[in-house]
Structures are given as C-alpha cells and as structure tokens.
C-alpha cells in the first residue's frame, strides 16, 4: 500500500448524500478478477450517457477537474454493497482522499486497506470546501490530522492504528503475522463439539 | 458490568488488542463466493501464503449463476469468475458447492441450511448481507476483498468494536404482515444510516415469536439501516433449526449449553435503544431509490422533502400523491438472500394458489438454494407457481443485483422481495418496489399492489 503522509491536490465536489457503492461502481464491472482497471468505470451511470458517450455535465468530466485527487461529498458515502471494487475504482481514477459527512462502516474499512483516506468533516466545514474553485488546492496533513483550504484549517479524527497504517503504508497481513503465536494459542483453547 | 449478546461473543474472540483500540478478532466461519474471492486467492499466491483454515471456510457460487440453463454460461466474464473459484477452491483445499451441486445456492441461505451458521460464532463473508447469519446469535458482517485475503491468511480480522443498539419490537403481528414489513417500517421511520457504527440486536416478544427464516430476513436488512451486524439472541427456535443439519455439532447438548450463555444481560447494556410496536403494522412498499423511501400499502406516495426525493421520483417515474396500489407493475421477483427461503416461497405460493398472474405481469421465482428448490418441487409449491404462470427458476442471486442474465428492462417496474431499490440495481433503468413475499405474490395476481391485511 502506498504511504499517505501529506498530500496537496485539487478537489472535485459531488455533494449528493448516500452515494452507494452501486453508484460508485455498478455491478457489471465486478466480473473483473483483477484489482486494476476500474477507474474508467467509476460513477459509470453518471459519467456516461445512455449511448456510451461522456456526459459533459457531470463534474468529473469537466476539463477543469481533470487530475483532481480529493473528492468532496455528502453523508453516508459508500453505503450498500461491500464491494471493495468501489474503492479500487476511486484510487485507480486517481483519488487519494474522500471528504464526507459520514461513511458506511464497510466502505471506510475498505478505504483504509487501499490508501484512500476517508475524512469525516461536519456540514459547516464541508460547505466551505464545496466552494473550492477548480484551480485551488486542498492540503491534507495526516500526522497532524488537519485539512487546509485557503485560510481555513479543519481538524479531523482518525483511529490511531488506521492512521499509522496510512503513514507507514503497511500491509495488514504482515502486521498480523506477528501475532501468529497468539492465534495458534487461541485456536487450541476453542470448544469443540464434534 | 452488564453485557450485550454482542459484547459476550466479541469478548470470547479477541486474540490481541485492548478495548477501545483495533482488536484482532478470530473468525469461526469464512464464507466465500465467486465475485469477491479471485483477488484474495491471487494475493495468497503472489505472497506465497497459505489459506490458514480451509476447514473453517466454505465456498459457493451465487452472484453470476444463470437461473434458466445453469450450465450454459454465455457471459464469458461470469464464466471466468466461476471457473476461477473452482480452480482456487481445489488449489487451497476449500470445500465448494459448485453450480449444479446439491448444496449450491445463495451464500447466506446455504450457510444456515448446512448447519454451518451457529450461535456464538464470528462469521464473515465478502458480501454486505452477511448480517443475515446474525439471526442465529452470531456476530456476522460483510467485509471487503482485502479483508477476505486477510481472513484467508490469518483466520482473523482487525476491527474496532462498534457501539451496540437494541431494537425492541413488541406487539402482535397483524394478519399478513411479516419480518420484511418490520424492518422496512423501521428503516422508513429512522432512515438509511441510523445504524452506522452500531451492532444491532433485535429483541422483545415479537422477535421471540419469529421463525428462523423471519429472523434472517430481519437481520439481513440491518445493512440497509447502515449497520454491518444485526442479531437475535439464540433460543429453542434457533437450536431446533440447527439440530440434524449436515454440519450441526455432534455433541449437540454440550453445544446447546455453550450457546445458551449468549444473551444480553439487560437493556441498560445497550448504548442506544429504539422501540417499535407492530400492533398497527401495515405491509410496506418502497417508492424511491433507497430502502428508507418506503410507505405503507394503504398510503399515498409522500411529498418531496429534498433533492434526494426529487431525483428518486424522476428516476422511478412516479409523483407524490399517487396511491401505492396505483403504482404500475410489469414484473414480480421472488428471491434473494432476504426472502428466498422455503417459508417465503410457501407464503407466496399460498397467495397464488388456484389463481393466475395478471396479464401485465412477468414473474420470476428464484429459490435460494437447490435444497429449497427440491423441497418446493416435492411439496407441490413449485406446481402452484407454474400453474399461476410464473417462471420457476434455478437457485442464485438472480435479479436482486442482476449480475447474471436476469435483468429487469429499463423503465419497467418490478415488485421485488429483495433488499435494495437502488438506481439500476435490478438492471439499467429498472424501477424497483421492495415488499414482502406475500405482498409481491398478491401483486402478481392483481397486477398491482393490494393491501393484503384487508383480504
């Protein structure tokens, strides 16, 4: 996993609430057996018209938003299906952080496994961020847990263990393998009714 | 200190870590299917890791399987995904109920049916509807693909303990209302994210009287309230369901004694409590594009409150003020991990017995597993559906998420026993109205929704 310490980037605003993972990546793209190549299908039904052409009205398709790395959205982002493919589509597209009012529990964990930083900020602060212009940038400082935009500084919370994982770019399984002895000991004391 | 059912199971599964921090939790049962397993198996291969406990892992195929001609898989991507699971299961020694197998079916139907789902267990699966298994008094939740690989390699998962919410359900169920109506009414009242960050336990006299199939429907849709985990305390109904099944414990009485320790000491142990009285419950129907956009069948469609409502009405092609019974219908779908069990099919068949579908309706009946399909054929239920003009299909997820060929055409309305009425969920442009199996079956006969509490 790519480490995330401090990042500065341009942002795109998709303010809707309850953007579920069916919207982020529709099911017809879940048949891929790899983790890559989902970016072109991100927000598929919003990004493309019925005839397959690009929908020029959708935010991501506006030329001034090309290369944005921060997504600013509403509450309840990533609800519904557990598909991690939704996170892979966001990172494959180039997003490194999503700032929302709240995230579904499963989506949040999936994001932490893939270096996509989910940041929860209250409505009043997101309202300020929603006015961001295409040529302005946001800076995310993970060790200090601060989002900076123009003269505004917003603090955000994150579980210290998830924070450390982002900063170190660690693979979870390597970390867990250090507990091998504890896992084996746990298994030995399990009840058996067979 | 008073503990909840969730606390007690959690505490017996902590391998490492302190309360309040991420803790390493042992997994007793890992269910896998073809969609969220190819990448994790690849990950194990590339890192030269073993799958730690194949004996605690069980695989089946459900999302992609055709329900008409099951061995004729025309979609090459679907075929590749299923072939990949066959190869991976073989290579890593995982038991697999493959397409056509007697044990095959929707993963959340098959686990309980085989007796794999048991009280006190921690159960995970790369699918959000894993909450279903909580009906047995287990901690069961959906996980992402990275977590699937982690469980494969270590048989554990890192989690921060969620808060707990008790949902106390009281009162006597009115005639022809079901668990589906309870959970839909609760979500309609509290909206789709009230459970985020919580593990939910359903309890109270109404819950105790529910069958296992009904409890599974209830817990299944906890995720539509934002909660990964819905659960019900194990009791005699639970034990009776498990007894005699393929993977039921051999020393059953000892197991029962062990399971009986898992209950909530008292209500004060919950972080949050919601109450719901079913005495005046009406059958529920969704009108919009998330499960919270629902109303009782005897109501009119609600006013527009915000942009989300406006967008939902635009998509669904309806307007506020229309009676629910006037929603035009083209299809009915009875199936999915929410409502495809034998009991669901029996209830639906009772509504259709001796009658025929309305001329405007196409009906797909998709049993949750081959075992259910066989039983329904043996008892004559399948015949009732066929005589009514329904298509009686092979088991799988089918039109619930339409990854297989079962897609509702654009612009068509479907009364569906599934769990999500999201935009495009049942096929691009499809318009979903969620309801109970009895409601959907009755709608198939009438050609529109009817208030089945009044018949």
């Amino acid at each position: 996993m790519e480490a995330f310490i401090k990042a500065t980037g341009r942002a795109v605003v998709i303010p809707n609430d309850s953007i579920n993972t069916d919207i982020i990546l529709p099911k017809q793209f879940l048949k891929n057996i790899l983790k890559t190549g989902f970016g072109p299908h991100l927000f598929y039904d919003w990004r493309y018209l019925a005839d397959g052409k690009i929908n020029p009205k959708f935010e991501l398709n506006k030329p001034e938003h090309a290369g944005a790395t921060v997504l600013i959205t509403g509450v309840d982002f990533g609800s519904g299906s557990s598909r991690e493919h939704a996170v892979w589509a966001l990172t494959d597209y180039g997003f490194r952080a999503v700032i929302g009012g709240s995230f579904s529990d499963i989506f949040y964990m999936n994001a932490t496994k893939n270096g996509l930083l989910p940041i929860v900020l209250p409505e009043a602060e997101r309202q300020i961020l929603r006015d961001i212009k295409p040529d302005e940038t946001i800076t995310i400082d993970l060790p200090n847990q601060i989002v900076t935009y123009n003269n505004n500084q917003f603090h955000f919370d994150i579980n210290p263990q998830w924070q450390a994982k982002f900063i170190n770019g660690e693979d979870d399984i390597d970390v867990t393998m250090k507990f091998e002895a504890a896992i084996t000991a746990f298994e030995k004391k399990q009840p058996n009714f067979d | 200190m008073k503990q909840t059912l969730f606390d007690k199971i959690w505490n017996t599964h902590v391998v490492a870590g302190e309360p309040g921090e991420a803790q390493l939790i042992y997994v007793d049962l890992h269910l896998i299917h073809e969609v969220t397993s190819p990448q994790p198996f690849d990950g194990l291969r590339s890192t030269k890791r073993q799958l730690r406990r194949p004996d605690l892992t069980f695989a089946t195929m459900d999302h992609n399987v055709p329900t008409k001609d099951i061995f004729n898989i025309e979609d090459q991507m679907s075929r590749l995904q299923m072939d990949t699971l066959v190869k991976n299961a073989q290579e890593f020694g995982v038991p697999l109920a493959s397409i056509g197998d007697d044990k095959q079916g929707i993963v959340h139907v098959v686990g309980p049916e085989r007796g794999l789902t048991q009280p006190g267990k921690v159960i995970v699966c790369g699918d959000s509807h894993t909450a279903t298994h909580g009906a047995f008094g287990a901690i069961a939740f959906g996980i992402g693909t990275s977590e699937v690989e982690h469980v494969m390699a270590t048989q554990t998962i890192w989690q921060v303990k969620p808060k707990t919410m008790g949902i106390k359900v009281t009162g006597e169920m009115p005639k022809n209302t079901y668990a589906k109506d309870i959970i839909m009414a609760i979500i309609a009242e509290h909206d789709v994210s009230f459970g985020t960050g919580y593990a939910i336990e359903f309890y109270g006299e109404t819950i105790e009287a529910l069958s296992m199939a009904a409890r599974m429907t209830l817990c299944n849709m906890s995720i539509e309230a934002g909660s990964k985990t819905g659960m019900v305390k194990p009791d005699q109904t639970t034990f009776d369901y498990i007894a005699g099944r393929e993977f039921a414990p051999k020393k059953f009485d000892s197991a029962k004694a062990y399971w009986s320790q898992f209950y909530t000491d008292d209500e004060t142990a919950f972080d949050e409590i919601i109450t719901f009285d079913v005495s005046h419950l009406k059958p529920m129907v969704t009108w919009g594009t998330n499960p919270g956009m629902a109303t009782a069948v005897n109501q009119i469609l609600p006013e527009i409150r915000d942009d989300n409502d406006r967008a939902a009405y635009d998509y669904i092609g309806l307007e506020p003020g229309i009676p629910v019974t006037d929603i035009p219908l083209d299809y009915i779908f009875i199936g999915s991990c929410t409502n495809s069990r034998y009991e669901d099919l029996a209830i639906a068949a009772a509504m259709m017995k001796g009658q025929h579908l309305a001329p405007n309706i196409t009906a797909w009946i998709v049993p949750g597993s081959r075992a259910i399909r066989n039983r329904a054929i043996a008892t004559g239920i399948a015949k009732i559906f066929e005589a009514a003009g329904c298509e009686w299909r092979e088991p799988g997820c089918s039109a619930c998420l339409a990854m297989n060929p079962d897609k509702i055409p654009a612009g068509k309305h479907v009364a569906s026993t599934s769990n999500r009425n999201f935009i495009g969920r049942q096929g691009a442009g499809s318009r979903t109205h969620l309801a109970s199996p009895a409601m959907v079956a009755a709608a198939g006969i009438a050609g529109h929704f009817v208030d089945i509490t009044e018949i």
Side-chain angles (χ1 to χ4, degrees):
Chain A
M1 182 172 116
E2 192 189 344
F4 189 121
I5 300 167
K6 195 168 180 179
T8 298
R10 289 181 294 110
V12 59
V13 181
I14 306 178
N16 311 44
D17 291 335
S18 294
I19 296 181
N20 60 57
T21 54
D22 276 66
I23 295 172
I24 299 170
L25 189 78
K27 74 259 172 169
Q28 62 267 36
F29 305 112
L30 302 185
K31 295 179 182 181
N32 187 344
I33 60 169
L34 305 172
K35 286 187 182 183
T36 51
F38 293 100
H41 310 307
L42 176 67
F43 295 121
Y44 186 83
D45 291 328
W46 287 351
R47 224 161 124 200
Y48 303 96
L49 299 168
D51 60 5
K53 293 209 178 77
I54 283 187
N55 174 6
K57 288 186 189 152
F58 185 56
E59 288 303 314
L60 284 197
N61 292 333
K62 295 180 180 167
E64 62 269 31
H65 288 310
T69 55
V70 180
L71 176 63
I72 297 165
T73 185
V75 297
D76 197 28
F77 187 80
S79 55
S81 159
S82 60
R83 62 190 68 162
E84 193 161 322
H85 312 62
V87 173
W88 298 335
L90 288 161
T91 55
D92 196 40
Y93 180 85
F95 284 117
R96 299 206 62 205
V98 182
I99 299 176
S102 62
F103 295 89
S104 94
D105 295 336
I106 298 175
F107 178 89
Y108 190 96
M109 289 307 292
N110 286 343
T112 68
K113 311 287 180 190
N114 291 279
L116 179 71
L117 184 64
I119 297 175
V120 177
L121 289 181
E123 168 60 19
E125 296 178 356
R126 280 183 292 119
Q127 197 172 353
I128 295 168
L129 293 178
R130 281 202 289 271
D131 292 333
I132 189 166
K133 295 181 185 66
D135 58 344
E136 293 179 324
T137 59
I138 285 179
T139 295
I140 298 163
D141 175 349
L142 182 55
N144 293 308
Q145 299 169 231
I146 291 170
V147 172
T148 307
Y149 163 58
N150 284 345
N151 297 323
N152 306 287
Q153 289 209 324
F154 305 131
H155 173 85
F156 63 93
D157 288 324
I158 184 169
N159 173 297
Q161 281 145 299
W162 305 160
Q163 182 187 33
K165 257 174 28 131
F166 272 102
I167 292 171
N168 301 325
E170 278 175 335
D171 172 334
D172 272 357
I173 299 177
D174 285 334
V175 175
T176 307
M177 287 300 189
K178 295 175 196 157
F179 294 90
E180 163 77 38
I183 296 170
T184 303
F186 184 91
E187 285 175 329
K188 284 202 177 117
K189 59 176 209 270
Q190 288 312 292
N192 180 359
F193 304 111
D194 284 324
Chain B
M1 195 168 133
K2 306 282 191 207
Q3 290 188 311
T4 63
L5 165 63
F6 183 91
D7 296 330
K8 289 178 183 177
I9 301 174
W10 178 277
N11 291 342
T12 57
H13 285 79
V14 177
V15 175
E18 296 303 318
E21 299 174 357
Q23 291 176 297
L24 192 62
I25 299 298
Y26 197 79
V27 172
D28 302 300
L29 175 63
H30 186 195
L31 297 165
I32 64 181
H33 61 84
E34 79 277 13
V35 180
T36 55
S37 65
Q39 295 89 350
F41 278 119
D42 252 357
L44 291 186
R45 261 190 297 272
S46 67
T47 51
K48 298 196 166 45
R49 288 174 177 138
Q50 301 294 309
L51 193 149
R52 185 180 177 94
R53 294 294 299 267
D55 59 320
L56 301 183
T57 312
F58 189 89
T60 191
M61 296 179 182
D62 52 11
H63 286 62
N64 280 281
V65 298
T67 60
K68 258 185 171 166
D69 187 359
I70 59 171
F71 296 111
N72 180 19
I73 304 156
E74 287 173 2
D75 182 331
Q76 292 311 305
M77 296 284 278
S78 290
R79 175 189 289 276
L80 176 63
Q81 220 166 38
M82 290 189 268
D83 288 348
T84 303
L85 180 56
V86 171
K87 274 187 225 141
N88 283 332
Q90 217 157 32
E91 181 181 338
F92 289 92
V94 173
L96 168 68
S98 191
I99 198 160
D101 189 298
D102 274 353
K103 299 174 192 175
Q104 180 264 338
I106 303 173
V107 65
H108 308 309
V109 174
V110 166
E113 189 172 84
R114 291 291 122 205
L116 290 162
T117 301
Q118 295 169 13
K121 281 190 178 183
V122 170
I123 300 172
V124 298
C125 174
D127 187 280
S128 63
H129 289 108
T130 307
T132 312
H133 306 265
F136 289 77
I139 294 180
F141 55 94
I143 59 178
T145 300
S146 296
E147 291 174 318
V148 169
E149 184 176 336
H150 188 277
V151 175
M152 285 177 173
T154 68
Q155 203 57 33
T156 61
I157 186 164
W158 289 101
Q159 294 280 301
V160 175
K161 192 175 174 206
K163 288 180 281 187
T164 56
M165 179 186 290
I167 300 187
K168 183 176 189 173
V169 185
T170 56
E172 197 176 328
M173 296 282 286
K175 185 184 89 169
N176 288 340
T177 61
Y178 298 92
K180 183 68 163 282
D181 301 307
I182 300 178
I183 187 68
M184 285 178 66
I186 292 173
I187 296 171
E189 185 179 330
H190 296 277
D191 214 356
V192 289
S193 60
F194 76 89
T196 304
Y198 289 90
I200 291 175
E201 179 183 341
F202 299 94
Y203 68 105
E205 59 194 34
T206 314
I207 304 301
E208 285 168 30
L210 294 178
S211 68
M212 288 315 296
R215 294 180 191 182
M216 284 189 256
T217 300
L218 200 62
C219 292
N220 171 279
M221 284 190 70
S222 303
I223 185 70
E224 301 341 314
S227 171
K228 292 202 289 193
T229 313
M231 52 205 313
V232 173
K233 175 188 78 169
D235 60 12
Q236 196 58 42
T237 304
T238 321
F239 308 148
D240 290 346
Y241 178 97
I242 297 168
R245 293 184 187 266
E246 183 182 358
F247 294 102
K250 295 193 179 64
K251 295 175 192 150
F252 198 77
D253 286 339
S254 311
K256 224 164 77 174
Y258 174 74
W259 296 338
S260 300
Q261 69 176 303
F262 297 113
Y263 58 87
T264 294
D265 292 328
D266 72 50
E267 292 174 323
T268 60
F270 292 118
D271 295 305
E272 195 85 43
I273 293 178
I274 283 178
T275 58
F276 187 79
D277 178 4
V278 301
S279 305
H280 303 288
L281 182 64
K282 277 287 187 183
M284 299 294 291
V285 175
T286 63
W287 54 266
T289 54
N290 75 45
M293 295 171 170
T295 190
V297 64
N298 60 343
Q299 299 294 308
I300 56 169
L301 303 194
E303 291 302 311
I304 293 172
R305 297 162 300 182
D306 56 22
D307 287 348
N308 295 327
D309 283 357
R310 190 167 292 112
Y313 272 119
D314 283 349
Y315 178 81
I316 218 87
L318 297 171
E319 285 166 17
I322 298 174
V324 172
T325 48
D326 284 357
I327 294 173
L329 294 176
D330 308 288
Y331 282 78
I332 66 165
F333 170 65
I334 298 177
S336 86
C337 58
T338 309
N339 277 129
S340 66
R341 295 177 184 82
Y342 182 80
E343 181 181 304
D344 299 317
L345 300 187
I347 290 166
M351 281 286 169
M352 288 192 175
K353 193 167 184 183
Q355 303 184 79
H356 199 278
L357 294 173
N360 54 314
I361 300 292
T362 301
W364 299 339
I365 316 293
V366 184
S369 70
R370 186 150 302 283
I372 293 169
R373 188 174 196 278
N374 290 342
R375 185 175 167 201
I377 291 170
T379 58
I381 279 177
K383 275 267 179 300
I384 295 174
F385 288 128
E386 284 171 333
C390 304
E391 294 181 34
W392 171 245
R393 297 289 189 88
E394 306 276 346
C397 298
S398 181
C400 173
L401 84 167
M403 263 187 92
N404 78 344
D406 305 341
K407 295 173 174 57
I408 305 300
K412 299 292 183 189
H413 290 261
V414 56
S416 178
T417 66
S418 55
N419 41 60
R420 288 184 179 141
N421 50 338
F422 294 164
I423 291 171
R425 172 83 178 180
Q426 298 195 275
S430 63
R431 294 163 168 176
T432 300
H433 303 285
L434 302 175
S436 75
M439 278 291 289
V440 170
I445 299 299
H448 55 82
F449 285 115
V450 288
D451 184 350
I452 57 175
T453 61
E454 299 293 331
I455 56 174

